[in-house]
Amino acid sequence: MALPKGLSSVLAKSPSDTVILSSLRTPICRSYRGQLKDAYPEELLSVVLRATLDANPNLPPEAINDVAVGVVLSELGGSKAARMAMNHVGFPHSTSLYTVNRACSSSLQSIATIAAQIRGEMIGVGIAAGMESMTRNYGSKAIPVDLWPELRESPVKDARDCIMPMGLTSENVAQRYKVGRKEQDEFAVESHRRAARAQTEGYFNDEIVPVRTRFQEVDKQGNKIGEEKQIEVTKDDGIRANATFEALAKLKPAFKEDGASTAGNSSQVSDGAAATLLMKRSTATELGLTSSIIGKFVAATTVGCAPDEMGIGPALAIPKLLNQLGVEAKDVNRWEINEAFASQAIYCVRELGLEKDWEQGKVNPDGGAIALGHPLGATGARMTATLIHGLRRSGGEVGVVSMCVGTGMGMAGLFVRE
């Protein structure tokens, strides 16, 4: 099916549109110390899948044909645990499931893939989700342990650079494109300020699903303090409302002795899950669910770039997407650009000519991954939930989600609010 061309075509409603009926997420919490540290990724997935059913009570569970789950770090690609979680919370075994791994864009990829299945009439209704527990599964820092030795010593630099630590790619972007430490710290403080305001104002309430789970308090050495508790987690716990430039400026570089990327101006290692329900508009009409439509997925695209500066991905993916759709940057009301590192987020905002949009609060208006966290497999779906609900609050129509992707890629998706 041909993509719509031009803003009016993007905004026009058609029975063949891929529409969104719900887009939900768990709180995003700090790995190792946050409130979801003792939860399993598939446990978090089960929460958002069950919440999707509950949010759409007039949709029979058996009408959902397939579920795609973005996940990066889980054992066996997360496929068995995810399928078990889906069955556990009330889906019939006739609903199928698979997992998707495109690193940081895995759950945006799951949205694009479910949409493609719907458009190709492989399925009628699908859920695109993502899950990650970096607490449980980040031991190797997302670098393969058992790797063909010839690749580590490959004469091809781009091959070797695919396992370059992400922090060093951030330093490359900062050095090559002249993004200084001061502006990185200022950007990080602003991310926390925006996220703290959004949390205080209740902006995340409609997208967050509470999680009831276990929590065992531990000291810095990992020793247990007291008894394990049952808790209900209702909000993101990585936001630092009191973050200041002076405090961030004192932090030492985290990846390179003379570098500029620190724990304070990089995305947080996080735990969380998210899920988005999609179907064709004509299917929603047939099922009597038209009034439940909250948005539509229009298109997505991916690009490749040098692995040693993977952070520039959005600056390449976004123009490609807009060009494919015949849409201009000025037509976009809200941008969600993942803050893997302040260095690359700043570069992308500059390269895309979005400095004024950033200042006016059209880019990451409610903060980004520096404040909210980056649970790898769930980030794309989390950003989509924040985008759709944010557009509904502001009255904006067009939004873009984009992120850089480890090993040298970028991905971007365009959505419309209804």
Side-chain angles (χ1 to χ4, degrees):
M1 188 177 75
L3 292 173
K5 201 75 173 177
L7 181 61
S8 60
S9 295
V10 165
L11 294 175
K13 294 180 181 180
S14 164
S16 62
D17 290 339
T18 303
V19 295
I20 296 169
L21 277 74
S22 64
S23 193
L24 302 168
R25 67 177 180 93
T26 68
I28 307 301
C29 294
R30 297 173 299 161
S31 295
Y32 307 114
R33 292 184 296 170
Q35 290 186 300
L36 294 179
K37 71 178 181 66
D38 295 321
Y40 291 82
E42 56 271 20
E43 177 185 356
L44 301 176
L45 175 68
S46 76
V47 171
V48 291
L49 291 181
R50 182 64 244 179
T52 299
L53 294 181
D54 293 342
N56 298 276
N58 295 320
L59 176 67
E62 59 269 20
I64 300 169
N65 305 120
D66 207 1
V67 177
V69 182
V71 56
V72 178
L73 303 172
S74 288
E75 182 184 16
L76 302 179
S79 59
K80 289 191 174 181
R83 170 79 169 160
M84 294 170 74
M86 184 196 77
N87 292 344
H88 180 66
V89 294
F91 286 74
H93 61 242
S94 58
T95 301
S96 53
L97 179 145
Y98 61 100
T99 56
V100 178
N101 186 350
R102 195 191 285 274
C104 311
S105 66
S106 293
S107 52
L108 179 57
Q109 183 65 59
S110 73
I111 291 171
T113 305
I114 286 289
Q117 290 176 265
I118 291 170
R119 287 170 176 168
E121 299 188 351
M122 289 178 64
I123 63 173
V125 181
I127 295 175
M131 66 177 186
E132 207 74 75
S133 171
M134 297 183 76
T135 299
R136 291 186 178 275
N137 298 314
Y138 197 52
S140 73
K141 307 297 183 187
I143 294 176
V145 175
D146 188 19
L147 182 67
W148 182 28
E150 192 164 322
L151 292 181
R152 294 185 189 277
E153 301 162 9
S154 174
V156 180
K157 183 177 183 295
D158 282 348
R160 298 194 308 274
D161 286 348
C162 284
I163 57 171
M164 175 180 285
M166 293 296 96
L168 293 183
T169 72
S170 172
E171 295 292 2
N172 287 342
V173 170
Q175 185 176 8
R176 291 172 190 174
Y177 303 106
K178 297 179 173 53
V179 183
R181 168 69 185 267
K182 180 175 181 289
E183 54 195 320
Q184 290 181 53
D185 288 343
E186 289 172 342
F187 185 96
V189 170
E190 181 63 10
S191 181
H192 282 286
R193 188 193 70 79
R194 294 181 180 191
R197 179 196 60 199
Q199 190 173 69
T200 299
E201 295 293 329
Y203 291 170
F204 299 132
N205 292 355
D206 288 344
E207 66 194 66
I208 287 181
V209 178
V211 178
R212 293 178 179 84
T213 188
R214 303 152 308 288
F215 181 80
Q216 174 64 63
E217 186 178 356
V218 296
D219 61 22
K220 291 183 179 180
Q221 288 71 43
N223 300 310
K224 293 181 180 180
I225 300 175
E227 298 297 318
E228 181 180 272
K229 302 174 184 176
Q230 293 293 314
I231 61 171
E232 182 175 70
V233 186
T234 60
K235 62 182 183 179
D236 308 314
D237 70 9
I239 301 169
R240 295 191 290 275
N242 58 351
T244 65
F245 172 78
E246 291 74 19
L248 264 62
K250 294 176 182 178
L251 296 176
K252 294 181 180 180
F255 310 106
K256 186 178 175 184
E257 193 171 329
D258 59 346
S261 293
T262 70
N265 60 35
S266 305
S267 59
Q268 297 180 37
V269 177
S270 309
D271 308 323
T276 296
L277 174 67
L278 302 107
M279 66 182 68
K280 194 173 288 186
R281 188 185 298 278
S282 58
T283 303
T285 301
E286 290 167 11
L287 294 171
L289 300 173
T290 303
S291 63
S292 299
I293 296 172
I294 61 173
K296 71 175 179 179
F297 169 81
V298 179
T301 196
T302 57
V303 298
C305 62
D308 75 343
E309 56 174 24
M310 65 92 206
I312 71 170
L316 303 175
I318 289 172
K320 179 183 175 184
L321 177 65
L322 297 185
N323 182 62
Q324 287 175 329
L325 295 171
V327 172
E328 298 180 42
K330 66 180 178 61
D331 299 325
V332 178
N333 305 112
R334 182 178 176 122
W335 305 84
E336 292 289 338
I337 299 177
N338 196 39
E339 300 168 358
F341 300 93
S343 61
Q344 57 81 214
I346 292 168
Y347 167 77
C348 290
V349 167
R350 284 182 187 169
E351 186 67 12
L352 293 164
L354 297 177
E355 296 98 324
K356 285 188 178 179
D357 292 68
W358 164 257
E359 292 168 5
Q360 293 168 2
K362 292 172 67 177
V363 180
N364 300 358
D366 300 324
I370 290 173
L372 296 170
H374 180 18
L376 305 177
T379 286
R382 191 286 298 169
M383 294 171 72
T384 299
T386 301
L387 177 84
I388 293 293
H389 289 280
L391 286 172
R392 287 171 66 80
R393 277 196 316 275
S394 68
E397 290 185 294
V398 179
V400 168
V401 168
S402 186
M403 66 283 292
C404 55
V405 182
T407 72
M409 290 179 278
M411 187 168 187
L414 189 139
F415 299 80
V416 171
R417 182 270 307 169
E418 294 198 13

